[in-house]
Amino acid sequence: MALDLKFIQEEIIDQYLNDENPRPWILGFSGGKDSTMLLQVVWLALRKIDPVLRNRHVYVVCNDTLVENPRIARFIHTTLDHIQKAAAEEGMPISVQQTSPRLEDTFWVNLLGKGYPAPNNTFRWCTDRLKIDPTTQFIKSKISEIGEAIILLGTRSDESTTRARSIAKHESYIKSDRLRKHVLPNAFVFAPIKDVQTDELWTYLLQVNPPWGGTHRDLVTLYRNASGGDCPLVIDTTTPSCGQSRFGCWVCSVVKRDKSMEALIDNGEEWMEPLVEFRDMLVDYRNDRSWRQMWRRNQDEDAADENNWGPYLPEKRAFMLKKLLQAQKEVQQEDPSLILINYQELVAIQVTWHRDSIFDYNVAEIYNSVYETQMSKEEFSDEQVFEKDLLKQVCENEDDFKLINELLELQKSKIILVNKYGIQSDLDNHLTNHANKRLAC
């Protein structure tokens, strides 16, 4: 085939050995075809180096947004386990590192907790929080340890005209034609397979088995069944989040239709239908005026204005949470271990509702209504137990008891999210709103 593998491997070996700086390599791995080929050619190149000279560590970094397509996520997690095990057995200087968003930055805490509208092209709040920030923090940590780092990406000029232009625009070369500056200080990008054509890539993967074991048959089948492309590891705003036909977040509302998930369903993954229905609901109601507040999160109801498109109304957030839990319960009939929203996120949603002075809905009741359990409200709060009976005895007025309890919940919400900024303002706003309601009565 036309692909010059010998040249690519020689470039990798030369860069690995002749770079006097001990800066580590950080290899972006998404589990898709491009990053798979990148990792494979790097692995096979390192095999040719004397073990004594393999003193530069390679971190295989994979970002988990926590809302990945479950079918894709299952495949990636299995692949990462094989990579870690094979690297240890071979004594390769390779280790797997998974990154994920902070609790208060996850998709569900923002959408259902804070009421952020589902992302679209003009307000794509998810990319920074779910993808860029977690990986950037890991890269920065390695730069702070060593001083510099080289990021290996499976970016290819053949992927699209836009990608080709982006590569050309940002190729400010350092010392040789191999490295270009990254937007992060003291970070450089090395893209060994940038000139590989798509047909060459597939031919290579079909002919050469992965060094971590098995074959690429599952990867090929996944692409065929999903009829789409993969999401690259996103480390800055110059990297496209995803294409129109894509693997990625199953909740993505940026695209009108998730063709990859629909294709998987058409090819036998019918259990994913509840996910498509939920995602379509996000798209359909994102710009429904009746779903949105007329004031923003940093305002109160007195600032209501029909021109303001604020966060989702509390009742809509509760409604979507119930729909999500119903979808989770349904898909768990296929795989009981499948989690769409984790326990920590449920706790953070309840905490965020309290912080936004939403006390008419609670996560425990919604969870119990779906799963027919008897979980208490405290199980979705922090570990501090408040003696409500004693408080009731002290308070002569039921409204006073409710107000004090709500203020305590607000204070505890700051502790759980490890963010005390603005606590005084939140308390003042809640007291003001409470006083205004009393005066109106």
Side-chain angles (χ1 to χ4, degrees), residues 41-319:
V41 295
V42 168
W43 191 307
L44 297 178
L46 294 184
R47 270 185 180 174
K48 296 183 177 181
I49 299 175
D50 189 317
V52 178
L53 300 178
R54 297 178 196 157
N55 50 18
R56 186 183 310 282
H57 200 80
V58 179
Y59 295 95
V60 178
V61 180
C62 183
N63 182 59
D64 183 0
T65 64
L66 305 181
V67 283
E68 300 295 323
N69 181 310
R71 178 67 179 85
I72 311 301
R74 185 188 307 161
F75 168 77
I76 292 174
H77 290 154
T78 300
T79 302
L80 292 176
D81 288 342
H82 292 160
I83 291 170
Q84 187 67 69
K85 182 179 179 180
E89 291 175 349
E90 282 194 40
M92 300 291 281
I94 296 174
S95 62
V96 171
Q97 178 71 39
Q98 276 198 286
T99 60
S100 59
R102 299 182 307 166
L103 177 59
E104 52 199 282
D105 286 339
T106 67
F107 185 84
W108 298 124
V109 173
N110 280 281
L111 184 95
L112 305 178
K114 300 175 186 176
Y116 277 29
N120 64 7
N121 281 317
T122 57
F123 186 37
R124 193 182 290 193
W125 53 263
C126 53
T127 302
D128 282 344
R129 290 172 173 81
L130 305 187
K131 297 184 176 184
I132 296 177
D133 291 346
T135 306
T136 296
Q137 290 306 312
F138 176 78
I139 295 173
K140 284 183 175 179
S141 71
K142 294 306 167 187
I143 292 175
S144 66
E145 290 177 12
I146 309 298
E148 290 183 351
I150 294 180
I151 304 168
L152 279 70
L153 297 178
T155 309
R156 294 184 305 108
S157 301
D158 184 47
E159 286 183 275
S160 69
T161 304
T162 302
R163 180 69 63 85
R165 285 199 302 264
S166 177
I167 293 174
K169 179 180 177 181
H170 293 89
E171 280 187 337
S172 176
Y173 291 106
I174 309 300
K175 295 183 181 179
S176 71
D177 288 346
R178 295 186 195 133
L179 305 184
R180 59 184 172 92
K181 290 181 179 179
H182 186 263
V183 292
L184 289 177
N186 300 323
F188 307 92
V189 173
F190 180 25
I193 65 170
K194 68 183 180 68
D195 295 322
V196 176
Q197 301 295 304
T198 300
D199 57 344
E200 295 174 337
L201 181 148
W202 279 121
T203 301
Y204 171 74
L205 292 179
L206 289 169
Q207 291 181 353
V208 184
N209 289 333
W212 48 88
T215 69
H216 291 300
R217 189 176 297 111
D218 288 344
L219 178 65
V220 174
T221 301
L222 201 54
Y223 268 83
R224 182 183 298 117
N225 287 347
S227 64
D230 58 307
C231 278
L233 183 78
V234 180
I235 58 173
D236 57 55
T237 54
T238 67
T239 309
S241 178
C242 289
Q244 290 297 311
S245 185
R246 35 161 289 286
F247 292 164
C249 305
W250 69 268
V251 291
C252 185
S253 52
V254 176
V255 292
K256 188 173 183 179
R257 289 175 53 203
D258 190 331
K259 297 178 183 178
S260 65
M261 192 152 60
E262 291 175 1
L264 284 170
I265 292 172
D266 290 341
N267 284 283
E269 306 280 357
E270 291 90 352
W271 62 271
M272 296 177 68
E273 287 181 356
L275 306 187
V276 172
E277 292 173 3
F278 186 92
R279 191 209 76 92
D280 289 347
M281 179 190 70
L282 294 183
V283 175
D284 292 341
Y285 290 100
R286 186 198 186 278
N287 297 321
D288 187 320
R289 194 69 184 86
S290 66
W291 277 52
R292 304 278 288 277
Q293 292 179 182
M294 295 185 186
W295 60 95
R296 304 190 185 281
R297 293 193 72 246
N298 58 352
Q299 300 174 325
D300 54 39
E301 294 183 46
D302 292 335
D305 185 326
E306 62 180 10
N307 295 318
N308 277 338
W309 283 70
Y312 289 122
L313 291 163
E315 57 266 32
K316 299 306 179 183
R317 303 183 209 181
F319 172 77

Side-chain angles (χ1 to χ4, degrees), residues 347-366:
V347 171
I349 288 169
Q350 182 67 79
V351 166
T352 305
W353 286 355
H354 287 162
R355 183 173 175 179
D356 285 354
S357 297
I358 299 172
F359 298 98
D360 293 335
Y361 304 94
N362 74 72
V363 172
E365 289 181 0
I366 296 171

Side-chain angles (χ1 to χ4, degrees), residues 64-66 100-101 103 106 108-109 321 324-325 328 338-349 363 367 380:
D64 183 0
T65 64
L66 305 181
S100 59
L103 177 59
T106 67
W108 298 124
V109 173
L321 174 58
L324 174 63
L325 290 172
Q328 176 172 273
L338 204 160
I339 301 294
L340 300 182
I341 179 170
N342 62 47
Y343 177 79
Q344 290 77 13
E345 290 175 297
L346 291 171
V347 171
I349 288 169
V363 172
Y367 189 92
F380 292 104

